Amino acid sequence: RKEVEQDPGPFNVPEGATVAFNCTYSNSASQSFFWYRQDCRKEPKLLMSVYSSGNEDGRFTAQLNRASQYISLLIRDSKLSDSATYLCVVTKNGNAGKSTFGDGTTLTVKP
Amino acid sequence: NAGVTQTPKFQVLKTGQSMTLQCAQDMNHNSMYWYRQDPGMGLRLIYYSASEGTTDKGEVPNGYNVSRLNKREFSLRLESAAPSQTSVYFCASSDLVAFGAFFGQGTRLTVV
């Protein structure tokens, strides 16, 4: 079993739809959690950190469930520009070298 | 603000050749990383440097060496390139781990 698992998709949704991605992790010692966005043939860019209390940034909401060891990303009112691959990242014990990336979930938003 | 700058952006090597990928960051970050990304896969850590003067192996270090030249610069060297090292290489830096990392634009390396 991979340390960090994501549904690869692809998720194909119409503009304006709400879409949610989940990411599960296997190590209960994990401390920091992030969502990154990666456009085709580009570098990953930090989208948001994920906190125990949940956090929201505009149309994006991230949640952490430590008991079930998963994080989620909810995108409301999808835009064409949201089309990308979303990477889940889990870091253990605050150690710089212990970040594990998921393989990513691909989202395509269609007109 | 340049952020993280990698050079070169593209490179083709013959099997057995060597090369060094350069990375520099201007955000005064302590930690720097080298990742590789293969098609359809997530990023895998090659080496990292938690702070100036230290380097450590990541998940896939074989065939690579690194140098943390100073706080700004972290280079990755392939001593004898192999086709299995064909990949996209990303350099990244971070301040505190909890704040996430910032990535360079990547180096697309093909070994023939």
Side-chain angles (χ1 to χ4, degrees):
Chain A
R1 182 188 174 191
K2 290 186 176 181
E3 279 193 56
V4 177
E5 293 200 70
Q6 295 183 249
D7 182 344
F11 285 67
N12 297 306
V13 302
E15 269 188 293
T18 295
V19 62
F21 311 134
N22 282 339
C23 167
T24 59
Y25 61 95
S26 60
N27 193 316
S28 59
S30 300
Q31 288 189 333
S32 302
F33 308 88
F34 308 91
W35 284 103
Y36 283 75
R37 171 199 170 118
Q38 186 173 27
D39 293 295
C40 188
R41 301 177 72 81
K42 299 282 191 179
E43 75 274 20
K45 293 185 178 178
L46 181 63
L47 183 63
M48 55 199 307
S49 302
V50 188
Y51 305 120
S52 296
S53 56
N55 48 306
E56 187 173 311
D57 183 2
R59 298 181 293 107
F60 298 83
T61 300
Q63 299 272 357
L64 166 63
N65 185 317
R66 286 190 183 273
S68 300
Q69 295 185 197
Y70 75 86
I71 66 173
S72 63
L73 178 67
L74 180 76
I75 305 175
R76 291 181 298 278
D77 188 23
S78 299
K79 311 291 185 191
L80 296 177
S81 58
D82 294 333
S83 297
T85 296
Y86 291 84
L87 305 173
C88 161
V89 181
V90 174
T91 300
K92 289 182 282 192
N93 301 328
N95 187 318
K98 299 298 183 185
S99 291
T100 303
F101 281 73
D103 291 346
T105 296
T106 299
L107 170 67
T108 301
V109 181
K110 299 186 175 180
Chain B
N1 197 355
V4 180
T5 303
Q6 288 182 237
T7 55
K9 288 185 170 49
F10 300 93
Q11 184 71 48
V12 178
L13 289 179
K14 293 183 179 179
T15 298
Q17 286 186 318
S18 62
M19 77 162 296
T20 299
L21 282 64
Q22 307 286 353
C23 175
Q25 52 93 6
D26 63 3
M27 295 174 282
N28 201 37
H29 286 168
N30 286 312
S31 301
M32 297 186 73
Y33 316 82
W34 277 104
Y35 290 91
R36 62 178 286 174
Q37 186 175 34
D38 299 306
M41 296 181 67
L43 280 76
R44 292 183 292 170
L45 184 65
I46 304 171
Y47 272 93
Y48 69 102
S49 171
S51 60
E52 187 179 356
T54 68
T55 60
D56 284 286
K57 295 178 180 179
E59 181 186 354
V60 288
N62 291 344
Y64 306 95
N65 284 299
V66 291
S67 296
R68 182 75 183 266
L69 303 169
N70 48 54
K71 192 172 185 178
R72 290 188 66 246
E73 299 173 287
F74 188 39
S75 63
L76 177 72
R77 183 161 177 83
L78 286 70
E79 291 291 352
S80 179
S84 61
Q85 294 178 305
T86 294
S87 189
V88 180
Y89 291 85
F90 290 104
C91 176
S93 71
S94 68
D95 192 358
L96 297 178
V97 171
F99 294 165
F102 295 85
F103 285 79
Q105 292 181 308
T107 297
R108 296 188 178 278
L109 175 66
T110 302
V111 183
V112 297

